[in-house]
Structure formats: structure tokens, C-alpha cells
Amino acid sequence: MAMTDTRTIRIEAVRFNPETDQEPRRQSYDVPFTPDMSVLQGLQYIKDHLDGSLTFRWSCRMAVCGSCGMMINDTPKLSCETFLRDLYPGPVKVAPLDNFPIQRDLAIDQTGFLDKLAMIKPYIVAKQDKPLSEGTFRQTPAQLEAYYQYSQCINCLLCYAACPQFGLNDQFVGPAALSLLQRYNLDSRDVGWSVRADVANADIGVWECTVVGYCSEVCPKGVDPMHAINENKVNSALDYIGLKRLVGGR
Ligand code: SF4
Ligand code: FES
């Protein structure tokens, strides 16, 4: 990139060390950038050249790993696919994802989500095990299509930062975990409805959702958590009155 393409933008980052600080504060950095630089690359510039103590998560740099989610100008986004050129002249406000405890600076504590992920049993519960010698379980394209969008979740947690109900009650299982619950319930190889039903039907399950829908709006992978939750509200209600579930779940 030619140096003439370089401009400077101010990045205002939240700083917070829970071990030493009373409350979060903002720190400003002037960052030279070229048109191909993402917000994540701006933060990496800060870390490499201006302030090595700034803490944030990232891994893939290509919207796949889900590590780099943060609030960018008050909206939950992946920092690796948000470009500084689109935020010029700035300033660019970066903060940890809303609704989570801060671990350090822009990194959130994900423990609560990992517990919820374990609760929904995010794996195929097969009717019976099949020896490897018998080959793979087969699936038609239509059977794959039934759950495909939910399988695209990268656990970036932008949907939790967008969810006002999760903001009010951090026990709510929440959009991504409930989408993954439905991803497995819709899978033709799975018979795990009964082991997931308690989580779906609980007060902190689908019934905590008030159908705001911002989760589906901010998802960078086209997952529709609100739809997954609505499908499970239908299932949960039918189950309660003893009728057959309509949308997935064996
Ligand atoms: S549903 Fe979308 S926004 Fe939520 S964690 Fe998965 S990929 Fe991220
Ligand atoms: S660094 Fe992996 S999703 Fe952004």
C-alpha cells in the first residue's frame, strides 16, 4: 500500500483492569491507517507501536473464529470485518461487548455462555451408536437445509450484547445457545429433544425472550436466533398440551 493512502483516525478504547481499577475509562490513540485496515488491525497497530498493554481477543482475522466481537460505536460487531475507512473521520469508540463482565479492557468473561452451551448439549444425540465400519450417517440435501443456517454460528456473542432481556437477566440461556439447541433438534440424525427440553421450556429458556429481534439483526453469519426461539416456543406450547411438536425435535 502506497504511503500516500495513509490517513490517521482516533480510536477511543475502553480500559479496565478489574483487579486494580474502580471503573472503566477511555483512552485515545491516533492510528495511521490504509484503506484495507480493519478496526482489529487498528488495535493491533496500537498494541505493536503505541501501547502493548491494550487487551483484546482475536484469532482468524476473517470472520470465522468469533473471537474479536466488541462494541464499535455502540453497535456489536466483529472488529476484523469492520473497516476503519468506513468510520473515517472518527473517532472510533471501541468497548467490550455489552451485557458481559469485563475480563480486561476489550475482553469479556465468557464463562456464563460456555456453561449455557454445555446445558443445551451441542452435539448429536443418536438413537443408537453405529460402528465406524458401517460408514457415516447419511443425510439428504433437504435434511441438511433444515438446520444449516443455525450451524453457521461462530459463538461470537454479538447477539447477547444486542439482547435487552439478557441485559436484564444474565441467567437467560440466550440467542446463540437456543439457536444451537434448535440446530441439533432439527438434525435428522438427532433424537435429543427430551434431553434438551428442560432447558428450552424453562423460565430462563425460550419464554424469557420478548421477541425484540436485534439478535438476528446483528448476527454476522446470517443466523436467525429469534426464529429458532419462536420455533421452540411453538414446540414448547404443543409439548405442554401433549400435542406433537411441529418444528424439529425427536
Ligand atoms: S447467533 Fe450469530 S451473533 Fe449469535 S453467537 Fe452465533 S454467530 Fe454470533
Ligand atoms: S478474528 Fe476471528 S472472527 Fe474476527
Side-chain angles (χ1 to χ4, degrees):
M1 183 59 61
M3 290 306 286
T4 48
D5 289 332
T6 303
R7 290 177 287 179
T8 298
I9 195 164
R10 177 157 292 189
I11 295 182
E12 295 177 2
V14 164
R15 306 299 311 270
F16 182 60
N17 179 351
E19 287 170 13
T20 54
D21 299 336
Q22 291 296 314
E23 55 187 44
R25 62 191 163 86
R26 285 194 177 274
Q27 190 163 353
S28 296
Y29 304 93
D30 291 327
V31 175
F33 74 100
T34 45
D36 57 347
M37 276 176 65
S38 63
V39 171
L40 176 63
Q41 286 173 294
L43 295 172
Q44 288 169 325
Y45 180 91
I46 295 170
K47 189 146 183 98
D48 289 346
H49 301 285
L50 305 177
D51 184 348
S53 69
L54 183 65
T55 301
F56 51 96
R57 286 201 183 93
W58 60 278
S59 181
C60 71
R61 298 175 292 181
M62 54 176 80
V64 170
C65 75
S67 311
C68 71
M70 59 188 70
M71 305 303 293
I72 300 179
N73 290 345
D74 300 320
T75 301
K77 285 182 177 296
L78 295 180
S79 58
C80 68
E81 66 165 12
T82 306
F83 288 87
L84 289 169
R85 63 173 183 261
D86 296 329
L87 304 173
Y88 190 78
V92 181
K93 290 190 293 175
V94 291
L97 285 176
D98 280 352
N99 302 333
F100 289 93
I102 301 176
Q103 197 162 53
R104 182 81 167 251
D105 298 341
L106 305 171
I108 54 160
D109 182 348
Q110 302 176 338
T111 312
F113 172 70
L114 295 175
D115 291 343
K116 287 165 186 160
L117 202 53
M119 280 163 68
I120 61 101
K121 304 201 169 32
Y123 43 81
I124 287 171
V125 178
K127 198 167 189 175
Q128 61 189 64
D129 286 340
K130 185 164 136 172
L132 281 178
S133 57
E134 286 183 23
T136 54
F137 288 99
R138 298 183 73 101
Q139 207 162 44
T140 66
Q143 287 170 327
L144 171 66
E145 185 60 27
Y147 65 85
Y148 183 76
Q149 62 122 336
Y150 299 130
S151 72
Q152 298 304 292
C153 176
I154 57 172
N155 297 341
C156 66
L157 308 185
L158 302 195
C159 51
Y160 285 78
C163 176
Q165 284 305 105
F166 180 63
L168 292 171
N169 178 5
D170 66 3
Q171 297 304 300
F172 176 32
V173 178
L178 290 168
S179 297
L180 286 165
L181 176 145
Q182 186 64 343
R183 175 253 174 273
Y184 289 98
N185 280 351
L186 287 169
D187 193 310
S188 59
R189 299 163 294 182
D190 184 276
V191 292
W193 162 268
S194 58
V195 297
R196 300 189 190 101
D198 283 353
V199 179
N201 295 341
D203 288 345
I204 56 164
V206 294
W207 299 106
E208 183 75 12
C209 170
T210 54
V211 204
V212 171
Y214 193 28
C215 54
S216 302
E217 209 174 296
V218 300
C219 178
K221 306 309 283 186
V223 180
D224 188 350
M226 186 176 70
H227 190 63
I229 291 171
N230 284 341
E231 286 181 328
N232 273 288
K233 281 183 175 172
V234 173
N235 279 346
S236 180
L238 290 170
D239 211 44
Y240 184 71
I241 54 176
L243 294 179
K244 190 175 179 319
R245 290 175 294 279
L246 284 180
V247 269
R250 277 159 289 273

